[in-house]
């Protein structure tokens, strides 16, 4: 189930695309419906082909998405939008919800488990306000969430409208919401006041959206059947100690259920955009699930929060990779990473304003995989991949990127040398890195590793984890009790 993200206020929703990555040894069949209406993926889905325009990409064959390939499903776009899909989409109109209201999610099914991502807009490097996310399968959805939304930053109240969406997977789902702020009412949606618990009923594929949700990140959401939650922002404007801002972008992230939160994370910096090649100061957000959560950082980070109450959000910046952990697995927490605006200290490398604002989830090492099949958008002139590997009992395992071979230049993160990070370009300033070029990619190792994809262009960027488990790794349950 994938709900179309809300977009910038007053603009028509641009081309929304979903990616299906097949890392099986056989073709994967895909079916799509929305609100009970089926859509034939062969009419709006294409097999990504590096070096060719989308109009030349082959349609999805009757046998399904071929092994090792990535299908791009062009879902919808408003006819008034600046960015239209490059091939006919499933619905040639907006499927996004405007403001607070209800709608229907896309139901994308495959006959075996796959990795999925989405991006809004597709082809955003030539437009504005792009953002991407890792799509979590409904089999990994849960019944207990925090309603985490991206930081508003410096956007005005009229432009930087935060929003939260809940999506049902089964008919007759009861959802209880205990917000930390007053959530507004809208068409078909009752208000959810702070200090109370409000109930909603959802059927399969139903979407409830609050906008402007303001900073609802401390909101506790509970349900009697699995649901999904996505938090977003129509206009994110971020600065840091090494960035005075940029052109602003949008952001949306599907938030894992509380059961998938970790008690240890590794934060890998994205490749610096500074012309002098010194590191950037990168903002982070952490949210605790349990009262009395204590956080330690390796290496230490001045100004980072060390104690948080349940639902409390802390923010800080770092110029280095680091490990952050709580006192035990009974104190799980969430970590998000922010790319600030493109006006960076010393000027931008590879252009006047490389990359721009983005907000992305960081996955804990407990959810890392050993293989990723993924896609990098060909409209971005710079694509950089950030890797984090974990030492196994046999030591650090080689990580291979199909187009680049075995990766090198690993740097230790923590004092115990348990984690290492590196990054590699697919291309930079439109120049391919050897045999690499944008399009479908494969990375693999004998040991677990994490992978973050960053696409950057002139005042535009997107990011997403290339995949990961969303397995239950803690037993904490937070009831929807008003605070």
């Amino acid at each position: 189930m994938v709900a179309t993200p809300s977009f910038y206020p007053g603009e028509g929703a641009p081309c929304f695309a979903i990616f299906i990555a097949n890392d099986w040894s056989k073709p994967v069949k895909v079916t799509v419906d929305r609100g009970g209406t089926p859509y034939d993926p062969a009419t709006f889905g294409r097999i990504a082909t590096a070096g060719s325009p989308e109009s030349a990409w082959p349609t999805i064959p009757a046998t399904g998405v071929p092994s090792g390939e990535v299908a791009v499903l062009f879902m919808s776009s408003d006819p008034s939008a600046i960015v239209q899909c490059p091939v006919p989409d499933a619905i040639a109109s907006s499927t996004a919800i405007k403001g607070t209201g209800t709608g229907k999610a896309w139901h994308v099914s495959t006959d075996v488990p796959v990795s999925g991502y989405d991006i809004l807009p597709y082809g955003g490097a030539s437009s504005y306000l792009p953002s991407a996310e890792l799509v979590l399968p409904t089999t990994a959805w849960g019944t207990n969430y925090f309603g985490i939304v991206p930081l508003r930053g410096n956007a005005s109240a009229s432009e930087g409208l935060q929003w939260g969406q809940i999506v049902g997977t089964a008919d007759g789902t009861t959802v209880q919401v205990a917000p930390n702020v007053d959530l507004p009412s809208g068409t078909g949606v009752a208000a959810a006041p702070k200090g109370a618990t409000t109930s909603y009923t959802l059927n399969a594929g139903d979407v409830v959206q609050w906008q402007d949700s303001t900073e609802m990140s401390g909101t506790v959401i509970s349900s009697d059947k699995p649901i999904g939650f996505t938090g977003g922002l129509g206009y994110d404007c971020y600065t840091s100690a090494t960035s005075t801002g940029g052109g602003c972008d949008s952001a949306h992230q599907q938030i894992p259920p509380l059961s998938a939160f970790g008690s240890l994370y590794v934060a890998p910096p994205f490749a610096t955009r500074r012309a002098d090649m010194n590191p950037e100061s990168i903002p982070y957000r952490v949210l605790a699930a349990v009262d009395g959560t204590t956080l330690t950082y390796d290496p230490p980070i001045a100004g980072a929060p060390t104690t948080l109450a349940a639902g409390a959000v802390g923010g800080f910046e770092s110029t280095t990779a680091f490990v952050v952990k709580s006192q035990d697995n009974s104190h799980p927490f969430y970590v998000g990473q922010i790319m600030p605006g493109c006006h960076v200290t010393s000027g931008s490398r590879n252009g006047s304003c490389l990359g721009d604002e983005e907000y992305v989830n960081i996955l804990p090492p407990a959810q890392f995989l050993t293989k990723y099949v993924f896609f990098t958008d060909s409209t971005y002139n710079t694509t950089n991949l950030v890797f984090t590997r974990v030492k196994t009992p046999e030591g650090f395992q080689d990580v291979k990127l199909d187009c680049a071979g075995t990766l090198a230049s690993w740097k230790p993160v923590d004092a115990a040398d348990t984690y290492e990070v590196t990054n590699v370009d697919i291309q930079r300033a439109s120049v391919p890195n050897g045999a690499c070029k944008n399009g479908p990619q494969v990375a693999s190792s004998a040991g677990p590793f994490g992978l973050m994809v960053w696409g950057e262009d002139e005042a535009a960027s997107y990011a997403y984890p290339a995949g990961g488990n969303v397995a239950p790794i803690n037993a904490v349950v937070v009831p929807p009790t008003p605070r």
Side-chain angles (χ1 to χ4, degrees), residues 165-177:
Q165 296 173 337
I166 52 174
V167 182
T169 59
D171 291 348
T173 299
T174 299
V175 181
Q176 293 185 305
V177 179

Side-chain angles (χ1 to χ4, degrees), residues 177-235:
V177 179
N180 63 319
V181 296
D182 291 327
L183 296 178
S185 63
T187 303
V189 180
K194 178 183 178 181
T197 299
T198 302
S199 294
Y200 300 86
T201 300
L202 277 67
N203 290 324
D206 284 352
V207 183
V208 169
Q209 175 175 289
W210 297 279
Q211 189 181 31
D212 186 6
S213 68
T214 65
E215 184 55 76
M216 67 175 288
S217 296
T219 295
V220 177
I221 302 170
S222 182
S223 61
D224 61 351
K225 299 171 185 174
I227 59 172
F229 179 86
T230 299
L233 179 66
Y235 201 57

